Amino acid sequence: MDDLPDQLVWDILSRVKKNVDRNSASLACKRIYKLDNEQRQCMRVGCGLDPANQALTLLCNRFPNLEKVEITYAGWMSKLGKQLDDQGLVILANNCPSLTALTLSYCTFITDLGLRHLASCSKLSALKLNFTPRITGCGILSLVVGCKNLTILHLIRCLNVTSVEWLEYIGKLETLEDLSIKNCRALGEGDLIKLGSSWRKLKRLQFEVDANYRYMKVYDRLAVDRWQKQWIPCESMLELSLVNCIISPGRGLACVLGKCKNLEKLHLDMCVGVRDSDIIGLAKKSSKLRSISVRVPSDFSLPLLMNNPLRLTDESLRALAQNCPMLESVRISFSDGEFPSFSSFTQNGILNLIQMCPIRELALDHVYSFNDSGMEALCSAHYLETLELVRCQEISDEGLQLVGQFPRLCTLRLKRCLGVTDAGLYPLSGTDKLDFLAVEDCPQISERGVQGAARSVSFRQDLSWMY
């Protein structure tokens, strides 16, 4: 090793990806130790950082070229020592000139003052905050004013972020490409209008409302009214995920759905107010759509928009089948309160989608309309590689035995399906048809029954969900 040039040793170290292996290699000799310190660009620390500020100082001095830092205190207890505080962010700002990405999780001692110190990190382009309860909108505003190259911003369970001036400011910068706001109780659908012209650059949006705190409350009816009917430029949007949101006809998030002409991935989970016309409009615009996941709310969800039909039907699936030739991943599920007779999507609609699009991955959850005849139809699904069936109680052994006839299926997942038994899997035994089989909480399938049904099997049995 002593005869190798630094550049070659540098290249060798760059191919070692696991931190534990890099740490072991760095102990081989002082030369590798020094080169590893210079090359290390990522660091993840947490509860073992004690005393926090002193230990972080030593790490920053040892690794002067850090670009990505993650600090997480998941599972922290007071006996593990004091958490990192605002002074720790001062240490990062002063000792990590190359810092581009920072993640803070469960850092309950961090306040707005700490974020203000980070404003001096001019290269910072990605910030992710997960349960930092002392952070407010003022702290985020001070950071985005200083970090004008911010392209990724994730806020998860930041309960005290109430002010939205930071949204308006970052909207004017037009740099944001990835925005995720999840379970931030004071931020609603109406606040997204503050993004303004930044919608034009946004490639990924995840917006999730805290269902336990404010979903379906009276003032949420007014949130959607803040958005007037207007043009929302979303030409760059590639991924859109909306959870527990209210979709108002012709405005707000409904406008977003209809303008994403380059959208590749869509996730709608328990979104009240989504209509056939919204999905049809999206399908006609988003011919590049590759993945769609829809979880339909229960019929007993509070009808906020009484004058509009809330139920999605096969018309939506038909529009997707006709306009999205690249669609390859479909997940359809109904909430626990859904009655079988009220299911919005029928088996015919689902099968029509599979027949017209190159569906490689299909997941059905609580879809009672899908039965053995649906399984028989899948025998002609030439692209289907992965099938997941969750709480599909109309499927029996007769339908499950047809899996061996699916042309390209290699992965099968069964979860909480009451109508299937060991007999349904028996024809697969020893055939090597499946690469992977996972069975979870199916009361009539035993661990012995899955053995030999695939090259790799996973079995779990917990029947507490039935009682």
Side-chain angles (χ1 to χ4, degrees), residues 424-437:
L425 294 174
Y426 181 76
L428 294 173
S429 181
T431 63
D432 285 339
K433 165 67 179 177
L434 297 177
D435 291 333
F436 179 69
L437 169 67

Side-chain angles (χ1 to χ4, degrees), residues 76-177:
W76 176 83
M77 297 177 288
S78 58
K79 66 180 182 180
L80 297 176
K82 186 180 178 181
Q83 280 193 14
L84 195 77
D85 56 19
D86 292 335
Q87 185 59 34
L89 298 189
V90 175
I91 295 169
L92 282 176
N94 293 338
N95 294 278
C96 298
S98 301
L99 187 66
T100 60
L102 176 63
T103 299
L104 302 176
S105 297
Y106 302 96
C107 296
T108 56
F109 285 66
I110 299 294
T111 70
D112 290 345
L113 180 61
L115 284 191
R116 196 171 299 126
H117 293 307
L118 288 176
S120 62
C121 299
S122 59
K123 294 183 179 180
L124 190 68
S125 60
L127 176 65
K128 299 179 181 181
L129 302 178
N130 180 13
F131 193 69
T132 51
R134 299 190 185 187
I135 298 296
T136 72
C138 295
I140 297 176
L141 177 61
S142 64
L143 183 135
V144 298
V145 168
C147 303
K148 299 186 184 300
N149 295 314
L150 205 64
T151 59
I152 300 174
L153 179 60
H154 291 187
L155 303 178
I156 303 173
R157 290 187 295 169
C158 295
L159 306 182
N160 288 312
V161 177
T162 56
S163 171
V164 293
E165 284 83 359
W166 60 272
L167 263 175
E168 188 171 2
Y169 185 88
I170 206 170
K172 294 177 181 178
L173 292 178
E174 296 188 38
T175 60
L176 203 62
E177 296 181 0

Side-chain angles (χ1 to χ4, degrees), residues 356-454:
M356 296 186 66
C357 296
I359 305 298
R360 299 180 183 278
E361 180 180 356
L362 175 65
L364 302 176
D365 184 349
H366 225 162
V367 183
Y368 286 106
S369 62
F370 197 81
N371 53 33
D372 290 344
S373 63
M375 294 291 284
E376 184 177 2
L378 291 184
C379 292
S380 61
H382 298 292
Y383 299 95
L384 190 64
E385 298 175 355
T386 299
L387 177 62
E388 180 176 341
L389 301 173
V390 181
R391 296 178 295 182
C392 293
Q393 314 303 11
E394 296 302 310
I395 295 176
S396 69
D397 287 339
E398 183 178 348
L400 187 58
Q401 289 171 356
L402 296 171
V403 166
Q405 302 178 33
F406 293 3
R408 298 181 61 180
L409 193 74
C410 55
T411 299
L412 175 64
R413 295 184 177 91
L414 302 173
K415 184 176 181 180
R416 300 186 180 184
C417 293
L418 299 176
V420 292
T421 70
D422 290 350
L425 294 174
Y426 181 76
L428 294 173
S429 181
T431 63
D432 285 339
K433 165 67 179 177
L434 297 177
D435 291 333
F436 179 69
L437 169 67
V439 176
E440 295 184 20
D441 308 336
C442 297
Q444 298 193 79
I445 296 181
S446 67
E447 186 170 8
R448 182 178 180 181
V450 303
Q451 300 304 318

Side-chain angles (χ1 to χ4, degrees), residues 287-392:
S287 60
K288 299 179 182 179
L289 192 68
R290 293 180 177 275
S291 173
I292 184 169
S293 173
V294 180
R295 184 176 178 224
V296 181
S298 165
D299 284 325
F300 295 99
S301 296
L302 184 64
L304 298 180
L305 308 171
M306 292 295 294
N307 297 326
N308 300 280
L310 303 180
R311 177 63 60 201
L312 293 173
T313 70
D314 285 347
E315 290 296 319
S316 296
L317 300 182
R318 191 172 297 112
L320 291 168
Q322 294 173 350
N323 298 281
C324 302
M326 303 173 68
L327 190 62
E328 58 183 16
S329 176
V330 174
R331 175 177 289 272
I332 296 175
S333 61
F334 296 102
S335 64
D336 290 340
E338 194 74 33
F339 281 93
S341 59
F342 294 162
S343 295
S344 56
F345 300 129
T346 69
Q347 178 170 274
N348 287 337
I350 296 171
L351 293 177
N352 179 60
L353 185 63
I354 294 171
Q355 290 165 359
M356 296 186 66
C357 296
I359 305 298
R360 299 180 183 278
E361 180 180 356
L362 175 65
L364 302 176
D365 184 349
H366 225 162
V367 183
Y368 286 106
S369 62
F370 197 81
N371 53 33
D372 290 344
S373 63
M375 294 291 284
E376 184 177 2
L378 291 184
C379 292
S380 61
H382 298 292
Y383 299 95
L384 190 64
E385 298 175 355
T386 299
L387 177 62
E388 180 176 341
L389 301 173
V390 181
R391 296 178 295 182
C392 293

Side-chain angles (χ1 to χ4, degrees), residues 257-277:
L257 285 172
K259 299 296 188 298
C260 302
K261 66 178 183 180
N262 290 307
L263 194 67
E264 296 180 0
K265 187 175 182 179
L266 175 66
H267 177 65
L268 299 175
D269 189 340
M270 298 293 286
C271 290
V272 174
V274 180
R275 304 168 301 161
D276 277 336
S277 59

